[in-house]
Amino acid sequence: MTQHYIVIGNPIAHSKSPEIHAQFATQSGSDISYRRQYCPDDASSFTAVIEAFFNGGGVGANVTVPFKQIAYDCCAARGGLSEHAKVAGAVNTLSLNKTLIDSGTPIAEAIYGDNTDGQGLVNHITSLDWPLAGARVALIGAGGAARGVILPLLRADISSLTIANRTLSKATDLVKELGTASDTIDQHHIDTCATSELSGQFDIIINATSIGLSGDTLPLADDLQAQYAYDMMYGRTLPFLQHFSKRGAQTSDGYGMLIGQAALSFERWTGHNIDVVKATDALSRR
Ligand code: ATR
């Protein structure tokens, strides 16, 4: 029987998720339908859309801009949140909490939220053979995208994490919030600074700002060096990657992260393991 999935966003027409999940379905021999779902930009519309979807037999949903925080609030009040979602403060993957369903909870009250974005990044970096264990990592940005990757980075045994942001107070506030969201995070091991003050040698530097969309450039110090540079944006020439490439760094955009987070959602919904490298190859040949 066909299993139904959606990705909810606004706008949503550009989303690559249906093609990505169709590729996973081909690879794993699964019978799925996965479609784009537009939703008006307010919490009550979002709630109505996901209730109708799950009540109608839907199995899982991805959540994208601008609904990741709304999805977090919605699941916090219903079927619960994974630790990754709690620390991220955002949800990108919805499913039904089977334990609650089995104990008679109505479907709409059993919607559960997870976040696979950060582990998607870590899995992609690992597949590139960039060494994370013991790495000194600099993360630029203190918005939702940055917050979403912190727990998986810390779990990958990095030796230090420095969070740099244009507005320093947002970085320090973020680190304080992490300490309250999870008791497994030791916030004293995370440094913060203004982006323009970030200096010295890092193993891996990650751009989690939204600057790639604006055409602006980050105010990076002359002595800032990294062996590997990753931009969570994808799909065009990214000045951040050009900057570090000229200084001899290996670089990657965030396309592999996009596939990686999707693969983790698919695996959690269906139980099938996805060969992400093979899926990425097949998608890039289109
Ligand atoms: P997202 O959910 O994509 O993380 P966000 O929460 O709006 O979006 O966060 C955007 C991030 O990009 C912030 O860290 C922001 O820095 P500020 O906190 O100082 O606003 C950063 N950012 C956006 N435009 C920037 C620019 N032109 N220069 C430097 N940082 C920028």
Side-chain angles (χ1 to χ4, degrees), residues 256-284:
M257 175 181 175
L258 175 76
I259 312 275
Q261 59 79 29
L264 290 164
S265 296
F266 188 90
E267 288 172 1
R268 283 169 200 181
W269 291 327
T270 66
H272 290 293
N273 282 329
I274 293 299
D275 181 334
V276 175
V277 174
K278 206 167 134 193
T280 307
D281 263 12
L283 286 159
S284 64

Side-chain angles (χ1 to χ4, degrees), residues 69 140-146 165-167 170 195 208-211 214 216-219 233:
Q69 278 82 25
I140 307 183
N165 197 41
R166 172 175 63 181
T167 315
K170 281 204 206 163
T195 305
T209 71
S210 50
I211 197 166
S214 70
D216 289 352
T217 48
L218 289 168
M233 295 281 169

Side-chain angles (χ1 to χ4, degrees), residues 28-80:
S28 61
S30 311
D31 179 9
I32 70 158
S33 87
Y34 187 114
R35 60 184 175 78
R36 298 177 183 89
Q37 175 67 56
Y38 170 84
C39 180
D41 184 5
D42 64 86
S44 57
S45 297
F46 177 80
T47 306
V49 166
I50 60 163
E51 283 190 12
F53 171 70
F54 282 107
N55 277 323
V59 176
N62 283 128
V63 180
T64 186
V65 178
F67 296 118
K68 290 185 183 185
Q69 278 82 25
I70 291 173
Y72 174 97
D73 292 338
C74 188
C75 295
R78 292 160 186 256

Side-chain angles (χ1 to χ4, degrees), residues 23 38-39 43 100 112 138 143 149 161 168 185 200 236 238 245 271 281:
Q23 182 57 44
Y38 170 84
C39 180
L100 291 180
Y112 177 81
V149 302
L161 179 63
L168 175 58
I185 289 186
R236 39 177 278 189
L238 295 160
S245 180
D281 263 12

Side-chain angles (χ1 to χ4, degrees), residues 120-132 204-206 227-231 241 250-257 276-277 280:
L121 168 75
V122 164
N123 289 357
H124 185 219
I125 288 180
T126 305
S127 77
L128 292 168
D129 278 335
W130 295 6
L132 269 167
I204 302 179
I205 189 163
I206 300 168
Q227 255 183 294
Y228 304 95
Y230 195 100
D231 198 317
L241 297 183
Q250 286 186 45
T251 64
S252 173
D253 75 4
Y255 185 65
M257 175 181 175
V276 175
V277 174
T280 307

